[in-house]
Amino acid sequence: MSNETAKKGKKWETPLLDQLKEGPWPSFVRELERCATTSPRTEDLLGQLEQSYKDNVNHWKHGGMAGVTGYGTGITARFSAMPEKFPGCKEYHTVRIGQTQGYFYTSEVLRKLADICDKYAGGLFDFHASSGDIQTLGTRTDELDPMFAELRKIHFDLGGGGSGVRTPSACIGPARCEWAMFDTLRACQDFVEHYQDELHRPMFNYKWKTKFSGCPNDCDCSGVRSDLSFVGVWKDNIRIDQDAVKKYAEKMNIWEDVIYKCPTKCMSYDEKNGMVIDDSNCVKCMHCINMMPKALRPGVVRGAQIRFGGKVTMTVGARLGFVLVPFYDIEKDKKEGYPFLTELLDRIWEFWDENGASRERVGELIQRIGIGNFLEEIGLDPIPEMIAFPRQNPFIDFEEYYEEEGEEEEQEE
Amino acid sequence: MSNETAKKGKKWETPLLDQLKEGPWPSFVRELERCATTSPRTEDLLGQLEQSYKDNVNHWKHGGMAGVTGYGTGITARFSAMPEKFPGCKEYHTVRIGQTQGYFYTSEVLRKLADICDKYAGGLFDFHASSGDIQTLGTRTDELDPMFAELRKIHFDLGGGGSGVRTPSACIGPARCEWAMFDTLRACQDFVEHYQDELHRPMFNYKWKTKFSGCPNDCDCSGVRSDLSFVGVWKDNIRIDQDAVKKYAEKMNIWEDVIYKCPTKCMSYDEKNGMVIDDSNCVKCMHCINMMPKALRPGVVRGAQIRFGGKVTMTVGARLGFVLVPFYDIEKDKKEGYPFLTELLDRIWEFWDENGASRERVGELIQRIGIGNFLEEIGLDPIPEMIAFPRQNPFIDFEEYYEEEGEEEEQEE
Amino acid sequence: MPSLAETVKEPEQLTDFGPPEYWPFLPPIVQRNYGKWKYHEILKPGVMVHVSESGEKVYTVRCGGTRETSTTTTRLLADLADKYAGGYLRFTSRNSIEFLLDNEENIEPLIKDLTDEGFPVGGMAGSVGNMIHTQGWLHCHTSAGDANGVTKAVMDELHKYYVSDELPAKLRVAFACCINMCGSVGASDVALIALHRRPPKVQYDKIRSVCEIPGTVAACPVDAISPKPYNGKPSVAVNEERCVYCGNCYSVCPAMPIADPLNDGLSLWVGGKISNARVKPRLASLAVPWMPNEPPRWPTAVKAVMTVVEAWRKGAKRGERVIEWIDRIGWPNFFKVTGFEFTKYHIDDYRLGETTMNYSNYVRL
Amino acid sequence: MPSLAETVKEPEQLTDFGPPEYWPFLPPIVQRNYGKWKYHEILKPGVMVHVSESGEKVYTVRCGGTRETSTTTTRLLADLADKYAGGYLRFTSRNSIEFLLDNEENIEPLIKDLTDEGFPVGGMAGSVGNMIHTQGWLHCHTSAGDANGVTKAVMDELHKYYVSDELPAKLRVAFACCINMCGSVGASDVALIALHRRPPKVQYDKIRSVCEIPGTVAACPVDAISPKPYNGKPSVAVNEERCVYCGNCYSVCPAMPIADPLNDGLSLWVGGKISNARVKPRLASLAVPWMPNEPPRWPTAVKAVMTVVEAWRKGAKRGERVIEWIDRIGWPNFFKVTGFEFTKYHIDDYRLGETTMNYSNYVRL
Ligand code: SRM
Ligand code: SRM
Ligand code: SRM
Ligand code: SRM
Ligand code: SF4
Ligand code: SF4
Ligand code: SF4
Ligand code: SF4
Ligand code: SF4
Ligand code: SF4
Ligand code: SF4
Ligand code: SF4
């Protein structure tokens, strides 16, 4: 149990880390010290970190196992490589706790989380970890089940990990943003509730990440950091308030700041005609709307684009997501219980399962075996929206050829 | 000898080819027929071609050998696959004759060439073949040496072929173009004269093509169709005749037709300041100059850019040339006898020879083993002008690492 | 504010009940205007207002913090939420903290309290966002550098651009402690990535018992690992010429340690972009291949970051993200103005490297 | 005009004397103003003037022809050169023919004579250039279609755009009879490329004597060929699933014939560009993967070419090359306005295919 009493004196001298208490930005060393006053294990963490600062190398063992009963994921087990010297770090596991959508909390729930973190961990949070989870640091293996029992009481469940669906995340969306083209928070919550099993009991070839951004500004980084990306988009015309445009024209150079930067140069402006947009050529980049939020608003026929296959470095190099579904009527699908989405994912996962290698992200797989083949298998039509440009080489793998009747005989003439 | 007398009647019915005599564009069938009136072998060529039109397939044998004594290249041997039916095509070789630079001829020399082509070939020319050579079609093996003797008399030599330097070519350049930033014809002539041995006695891994264009309009396609591309370029400022700019302004929309299309948007125009160009950001694309030839002229500090590694399809896919030397002072190098260029090529060819595989173009090789390594070997510095953008992945093959003294002992602690 | 009892009930299922429903955690003004926001305006650094179609306005005050947050600080933030924001707060996708106020008058007192407690207020519009980072030496076994330390050192320098609003455009800076890149660094405006640069040392005695040999061989992206018996027992050999120090073998096999005090270091990357505005999303490109790990304040790396930021700040036109500035002036000029050396390592020689060459005559001379 | 004796002397070396020095072949007005040209102007379709700094003017009249030229026609052109151009003429890099006149008054009579002889005058500025093509069935053993026939059929349709000057920009059309692409097709605005689409048939009895087996195996870019004995003798097997019909095996081994009357056909490619003006040089992209070989006039292929040309002509803004038009309207619209079907074959699955995907949210909806 981690409700140890704080030591009086400083257990470890940390002359190197102390230098990181200087400077105007808030200091994580102060945070660690605050924890250390009540948590001896985090005191040792400070000591071990100072040791790393001296040695220029981390002092953790490779991997190891630990978990909550009934779950296959949610815990990152971490064991010190110097447990004799830093016994508090001997087991210093991370617990991934699924965040609320949009990262909204009440003071009360934060205090409750803090109590649990003091009691069963090192008093240290990540608000938030990079996939979106809340993380607590510093739990020992035997504390995991009791800690989860406490979290369960306030309805906080474990996040993802391993080779399965990872904790999805969403931008703030309709909660405070005028550009949310779909309900990112609801979609994300529905998604994570639906895929609890895939989240908590990994069975894929490798991890699967999902992120929801309400518009192409992509404040949740979905296009660059998730296998499955939802980005809100509109289909009809940008709504223009010409009076408001005029007001912007007084304080900015509309041509230079807005129009020239439109990626398809589909806009024009003059005093007589006001702002004119050729919406058929608008690629929904958001720029003009970003620049003139009071004058330009996205259209009202809304949905999401599905981009696919994004991931980082290992081992083929990082990939961004490419357009898989240019317009997905997510509200409609939601009303019906997401048949389109869930069936699509079933097919994709089946395909990945059958064809993928271990530790091969789905984007790597489909590139390896060809997007065209992948599309056929999952039942989507190839469409030019998916590509930047068609192939520039003639190595076309046609699937069939014509045969003359009875030609077999001639073959070896 | 091919000075056979013409047949009276038509030897072959060509109902399919006859349909290609219709229509407003000049007809190659008429050209073939013109030859056929005096050349029975070309009469058979017409017949064999008609046969192909019926059968939907060519009727030539694979490869075969034929050549001019003392040369390893210059002849494309071609033997009919139906020699019984079309005896005139039994041997119907092509002779590649090095063209004059800029493809300039006198009527007299053309007539002389025509005489030779009638006497030793099928009376049929290619003006010109795709690398630049004049080609005659329809010579038999035993006619090659006598034909060359005739060509020699009018100082026409054989062109390239096989795995060596191919016949280089040049745009019309200073002969008639105001934008020639170096003397393309002279450079091409100097090149081909210098590399006669490499042209006529192949010893490389595969073909090597060289093309010279006087400016980035690249009328000789050097950047996309040659291993070694020279494209003229200037270093200083575009020369502006503001009065002439004004005149253009009367008949065209300078902003729309010129300025917005500048790839780096480094221009501006208004009545007060006239045309203003930020030359430090001009990438010498030629567009503004093309649009206003009377008002804008390239600068006067001139040279050539060397692009490298271009080639077509087989087998890794087509490649364009990339910038190897951003500014090559070709006039200066010429004055000194081209030491820079010849030494560079010596090093490149040595490298290709040592590292390349058979039928591997030099551009494929350097990509296979890494541009950085290639540059080191040939003694050029890596510079950012060579790339569109630096690497986006962290798989860096550092060549060395630090070692602690006496660390070997610890290695297997 | 609803009481905790109202917002989160103990779930009926024992496991797999999922994260708590978010709705009760939304401030009432947000609940009332959910999906009805009309426009927003940045009022000053760190403060913006969103106006609803209903006419209601919500004021956001944003401050930076350390992502590693003590329970003490958590409680302190909770107190401020109670005091000014009806007991609600949120975090942003970049680890900043936001208070949503329905009462305009709370803005200044809140800012004062935050400032007193050492939280910088800002991070909106033409400013730097909080730096995204990973675990580093604090918690990760594969780390090649420390995350929190580098982040702190960099943010100390960037602090002035967080609390003001004078950068040409948004600036996103990030850190990753190995090339697994747990976070946004691959597409950041400016990123530091810790790298190894020495091949793994095979622990011949151990490898057989702790690793699966074929899996280890297969993990290498450049085929540098081959099976090779050691003292008659199955083991592997590493081709040091080929190895690109990615550490993927170590990820799958603990007997291939690659961390090395002398050779682990930091690389600098620039020009990534996530949003679709104006130009397409892009991955960041290499600027500096390697700088030494210099705890506790990594002066070389911090200076390199600031060199890019200052060059961009001075050279960019209004509204130009880092990559837009570089695209306009050209990479050769980027290396000129920053003084970074261009080396063969900058030329991509990995799988798709050939698509990164300059296949045109476009050169600034 | 200098006499032939003056221009070309018999070389002293027996071989390797190189092509004749070009200078004597330049018209005197060109010699006088070599490198001194100041500007040019297109006067009308097929006619332009270049003005020298000396004030002299040279008038160029350009006409199209067949690249395969009979000696008869060669002599006819020589006669016209004598009559109007002081005995000089030249060919362009795209197989058009140019007469350079120092006398403006010769322009119209020359045009009349050319027209009477069936030579279209034009091909400058906003027009189509002569079509670049290769040998085809006329002369090449690897051809998958005929070059001259397709070219003639296409140029009959494009004739009107050669003799006028009303296209949005230059139009470069080309043909290649196999994917060796002997010519400019890879970077043409519009190109037809003849393709095989049936794997080669191994001639088991012959292969051992005429081919080198390892070289044949190595020639395959997709590893579809493996050594496999036949009747106890060395031979190869082709994996038909893998084969992409490139014909490279046939290039190195005659016992792997791949030409096939039913399956050889034409593919259509669009959007290549060579010049650096405005946008970088680009390779052409696939528009139609396969159309049947239909001698003598290939109606399907000709129609496909004209579909692109007309769509571009109507849709492009002034000055837009084909690729600039497509980039502006987007590839989805290109397929919409041309009616070409978009298939999986359009998505690049070759070596660098993954760099061709749309990694952004840019879609026209
Ligand atoms: C905790 C967290 C970093 C943080 O400090 O925030 C994290 C931590 C680890 N990541 Fe990660 N990743 C975390 C988000 C990410 C992200 C960002 C994201 O999800 O948006 C990425 C890049 C996006 C992506 O997945 O493409 C990421 C890409 C990786 C990879 C490379 C995966 C790949 O396909 O290349 C690994 C390597 C692996 O899985 O073996 C990895 C592996 C790891 C491991 C488990 C180390 C390992 O070798 O097994 C790290 C444990 C650290 C520790 O000891 O605490 N982590 N990891 C983030 C997850 C917390 C959460 O649930 O919210
Ligand atoms: C005659 C010519 C086509 C024409 O009708 O004009 C030609 C004809 C042939 N080319 Fe070519 N190539 C011709 C210019 C080109 C060009 C264009 C150029 O040089 O600008 C190219 C593309 C540029 C390039 O090389 O990258 C070209 C790329 C090829 C290739 C593919 C090379 C590669 O690296 O992928 C081959 C295949 C080979 O070499 O085995 C090839 C092979 C051939 C062969 C020799 C066929 C063969 O399999 O061996 C052809 C003989 C045809 C015949 O029977 O008459 N030809 N060839 C051109 C040469 C005449 C000249 O000297 O002027
Ligand atoms: C709060 C937050 C969403 C959330 O769910 O937490 C958010 C909120 C807003 N974003 Fe964002 N963005 C947030 C992360 C992002 C990210 C992701 C990231 O940085 O990791 C991006 C992509 C960054 C990139 O491209 O690399 C992002 C790209 C944008 C853009 C496009 C900027 C551009 O021109 O490239 C806009 C539009 C603008 O600012 O004009 C934008 C606009 C906005 C607006 C104005 C939307 C609105 O009307 O409410 C919000 C305030 C902007 C501000 O801070 O100036 N938001 N925004 C995130 C705050 C992060 C932070 O603490 O700094
Ligand atoms: C005669 C010729 C050079 C030669 O050595 O033979 C030539 C001559 C001229 N070219 Fe060219 N170009 C010639 C082939 C090319 C090629 C190569 C090709 O087509 O195979 C190109 C690259 C085409 C491409 O990008 O795909 C070419 C791209 C240009 C351009 C750039 C066009 C663009 O905007 O992309 C210009 C500038 C212009 O026209 O404004 C140009 C301009 C010119 C000028 C105006 C240069 C001058 O001042 O004399 C000449 C007359 C142009 C005209 O025909 O309208 N020339 N020009 C070639 C005539 C070929 C023909 O018969 O049609
Ligand atoms: S992604 Fe779009 S909808 Fe979501 S917060 Fe950012 S700007 Fe708003
Ligand atoms: S959203 Fe982007 S593409 Fe559409 S009109 Fe505005 S700037 Fe242009
Ligand atoms: S490449 Fe340039 S110099 Fe040569 S002819 Fe074309 S425009 Fe003139
Ligand atoms: S040459 Fe091209 S890049 Fe240079 S100023 Fe003119 S249009 Fe711009
Ligand atoms: S980036 Fe690497 S070292 Fe850092 S937390 Fe992720 S896996 Fe660990
Ligand atoms: S570090 Fe990476 S490149 Fe080096 S041996 Fe291990 S897996 Fe291979
Ligand atoms: S393109 Fe192919 S078929 Fe045509 S000439 Fe060249 S090698 Fe022969
Ligand atoms: S045709 Fe090409 S892909 Fe097919 S077997 Fe031959 S070399 Fe391989």
Side-chain angles (χ1 to χ4, degrees), chain D residues 19-251:
Chain D
E21 163 65 25
Y22 58 88
W23 188 261
F25 294 102
L26 304 178
I29 186 171
V30 164
Q31 293 187 350
R32 285 195 302 276
N33 297 288
Y34 195 84
K36 297 193 199 125
W37 302 106
K38 203 169 161 199
Y39 65 86
H40 75 277
E41 227 168 337
I42 310 279
L43 301 176
K44 63 179 216 171
V47 184
M48 64 182 164
V49 61
H50 283 75
V51 182
S52 165
E53 299 196 338
S54 72
E56 278 198 285
K57 295 181 180 179
V58 69
Y59 299 91
T60 301
V61 174
R62 182 184 295 173
C63 70
T66 54
R67 182 186 79 149
E68 324 298 343
T69 312
S70 64
T71 47
T72 314
T73 300
T74 307
R75 293 191 182 96
L76 191 141
L77 291 168
D79 292 345
L80 289 172
D82 284 343
K83 192 165 166 195
Y84 297 109
Y88 298 88
L89 63 72
R90 78 175 288 264
F91 296 86
T92 71
S93 65
R94 292 191 78 83
N95 308 326
S96 274
I97 304 146
E98 289 184 341
F99 298 88
L100 279 70
L101 317 177
D102 49 14
N103 184 354
E104 194 175 356
E105 283 167 15
N106 280 342
I107 297 175
E108 293 310 321
L110 170 59
I111 292 179
K112 187 172 180 308
D113 278 6
L114 286 169
T115 312
D116 288 350
E117 293 290 349
F119 293 103
V121 172
M124 284 177 189
S127 68
V128 63
N130 200 353
M131 195 165 154
I132 293 267
H133 65 84
T134 49
Q135 295 291 338
W137 292 336
L138 187 76
H139 204 263
C140 193
H141 61 166
T142 74
S143 52
D146 188 43
N148 284 285
V150 177
T151 299
K152 161 73 174 151
V154 170
M155 285 309 290
D156 277 343
E157 296 298 315
L158 287 175
H159 175 271
K160 57 178 176 288
Y161 298 129
Y162 187 92
V163 298
S164 63
D165 176 11
E166 56 183 60
L167 292 176
K170 279 188 166 35
L171 176 66
R172 300 328 205 183
V173 186
F175 177 87
C177 28
C178 86
I179 70 171
N180 280 334
M181 297 190 193
C182 298
S184 235
V185 319
S188 295
D189 292 296
V190 181
L192 288 166
I193 304 179
L195 299 179
H196 306 291
R197 67 177 272 181
R198 184 171 181 171
K201 295 181 188 156
V202 185
Q203 296 178 322
Y204 301 102
D205 44 347
K206 203 172 133 190
I207 187 163
R208 196 170 140 250
S209 50
V210 296
C211 309
E212 205 231 337
I213 305 279
T216 308
V217 170
C220 182
V222 293
D223 290 333
I225 308 182
S226 48
K228 194 180 160 196
Y230 182 78
N231 281 348
K233 287 181 204 149
S235 180
V236 301
V238 173
N239 178 337
E240 298 214 350
E241 286 289 291
R242 286 202 156 185
C243 173
V244 291
Y245 326 103
C246 70
N248 205 38
C249 50
Y250 177 63
S251 275

Side-chain angles (χ1 to χ4, degrees), chain A residues 132-169:
Chain A
D133 288 304
I134 304 170
Q135 280 192 162
T136 60
L137 283 79
T139 302
R140 296 194 198 120
T141 309
D142 60 6
E143 295 166 329
L144 289 168
D145 277 345
M147 176 165 172
F148 174 70
E150 293 288 320
L151 285 170
R152 203 182 152 280
K153 283 194 188 137
I154 54 169
H155 208 142
F156 276 80
D157 200 349
L158 296 185
S163 293
V165 163
R166 293 304 185 89
T167 301
S169 68

Side-chain angles (χ1 to χ4, degrees), chain A residues 166-195:
Chain A
R166 293 304 185 89
T167 301
S169 68
C171 80
I172 190 170
R176 195 199 48 204
C177 184
E178 67 267 38
W179 297 324
M181 244 69 75
F182 70 98
D183 189 340
T184 51
L185 306 186
R186 177 52 52 208
C188 188
Q189 182 74 9
D190 288 350
F191 188 92
V192 70
E193 286 180 4
H194 189 85
Y195 291 115

Side-chain angles (χ1 to χ4, degrees), chain B residues 171-173 177-181 184 213-220 286:
Chain B
C171 80
I172 189 169
C177 183
E178 67 267 39
W179 297 323
M181 244 68 76
T184 50
S213 282
C215 81
N217 282 331
D218 202 357
C219 299
D220 200 54
M286 287 296 295

